[in-house]
Amino acid sequence: MNAPAIDARKWMPYPSAGAAPTTLYCLPHAGAGASTYLPWRKELQPDVDVVPLQPPGREMRMRDEPFEHLTPLLDDLLSAMDGVWQEPFALFGHSLGALVAYELARRLSAGEGPRPAHLIVSGRRAPHHPSRLPWIRMADDPMLLEIVRRLGGTPDEILDDEQMRQTVLTLMRADLGVDQTYRYRPDPPLDVPITVLSGSSDSHVTMAELEPWAECGSAGVDIRLVPGGHFFVVTHRDTVLRRVRHCLVGSP
């Protein structure tokens, strides 16, 4: 397998070894980076090769300007990954990452690359439901900090450190901007199997916002509740990985 180009290596800091029968490309939630999915690699081997994707503005891409809109983010990702996708593959995304994965699957299925074999979206309302958060563009730093604390997923010791807090807020403002400037575009449903995972006690996603995912796919949409809140992918990781493995390789 040839080494990926420099742009692809930016998006794939932990590239595929190409040894597993299927590859799972994972997109992080708002404010998070590719390393979020590193614990998954050992758990899903040897059946699934987990390849975390790294948007700019975080971890080893800290100096790269984060995107504030979804279209240029996808343009950059698709350009970098052109000819690099390891088939067969699936896409996974949590929260904001679920939106990115969904729209990425749409563009790949429309001919901008190879079609994914499966799409797994997690902790995310259906794409045609708008955000219920206050408009981020109008929020000052104290308001944004309160929103970030309410969303969870960022340790208090980071938010209590002035320098680290400012870095987090800058990234979160951009990431949440991607979410809030997104406008759903009606298209034919994806001809890709979709699995939707959600925390049974997630206060950020209601069942009424989950059920319309059924309209997004024509090859089957399976909605599953997992114990836990919005970050059930962390608190109940074993349950999530069993479900992911079942989706991709059929084992219990």
Side-chain angles (χ1 to χ4, degrees), residues 202-213:
D202 187 350
S203 61
H204 301 296
V205 184
T206 67
M207 184 56 69
E209 292 171 320
L210 285 176
E211 289 173 344
W213 273 109

Side-chain angles (χ1 to χ4, degrees), residues 63-232:
R63 294 185 179 181
D64 295 342
E65 192 74 20
F67 288 103
E68 298 181 355
H69 300 273
L70 183 57
T71 297
L73 185 156
L74 290 175
D75 289 344
D76 190 79
L77 172 55
L78 286 163
S79 175
M81 294 292 290
D82 186 29
V84 179
W85 302 103
Q86 184 71 27
E87 298 183 77
F89 68 91
L91 300 174
F92 179 95
H94 180 68
S95 199
L96 174 64
L99 174 64
V100 179
Y102 168 68
E103 284 293 339
L104 176 60
R106 290 178 101 184
R107 289 184 57 169
L108 288 170
S109 297
E112 296 189 49
R115 178 181 297 186
H118 205 111
L119 170 65
I120 307 174
V121 291
S122 164
R124 173 77 196 191
R125 63 194 182 275
H128 34 308
H129 276 252
S131 171
R132 288 187 276 117
L133 292 175
W135 186 243
I136 296 301
R137 296 288 179 90
M138 304 297 292
D140 57 17
D141 282 358
M143 180 184 294
L144 180 58
L145 177 61
E146 176 57 32
I147 292 170
V148 172
R149 289 191 188 277
R150 195 189 325 154
L151 287 173
T154 306
D156 286 340
E157 55 266 29
I158 291 179
L159 295 178
D160 291 340
D161 180 280
E162 184 175 353
Q163 185 173 353
M164 297 178 72
R165 178 173 66 243
Q166 195 54 53
T167 300
V168 169
L169 291 183
T170 297
L171 178 57
M172 288 294 289
R173 191 179 294 278
D175 281 359
L176 294 176
V178 169
D179 179 45
Q180 294 190 328
T181 58
Y182 169 76
R183 296 294 179 268
Y184 176 75
R185 181 189 72 256
D187 265 345
L190 269 174
D191 186 21
V192 171
I194 301 174
T195 297
V196 182
L197 304 178
S198 185
S200 58
S201 56
D202 187 350
S203 61
H204 301 296
V205 184
T206 67
M207 184 56 69
E209 292 171 320
L210 285 176
E211 289 173 344
W213 273 109
E215 305 164 17
C216 296
S218 61
V221 179
D222 185 21
I223 301 175
R224 298 278 177 163
L225 294 182
V226 176
H230 189 61
F231 286 99
F232 64 92

Side-chain angles (χ1 to χ4, degrees), residues 2-72:
N2 295 330
I6 291 175
D7 285 349
R9 290 201 299 269
K10 285 185 176 182
W11 275 97
M12 286 195 306
Y14 312 104
S16 168
T22 191
T23 300
L24 179 64
Y25 294 99
C26 299
L27 290 143
H29 60 269
S35 64
T36 300
Y37 295 107
L38 287 182
W40 290 29
R41 302 191 101 177
K42 183 177 180 180
E43 299 291 334
L44 291 176
Q45 289 175 347
D47 301 309
V48 179
D49 192 0
V50 174
V51 179
L53 296 176
Q54 184 78 287
R58 63 213 78 212
E59 297 180 352
M60 66 284 290
R61 299 193 68 183
M62 185 72 71
R63 294 185 179 181
D64 295 342
E65 192 74 20
F67 288 103
E68 298 181 355
H69 300 273
L70 183 57
T71 297

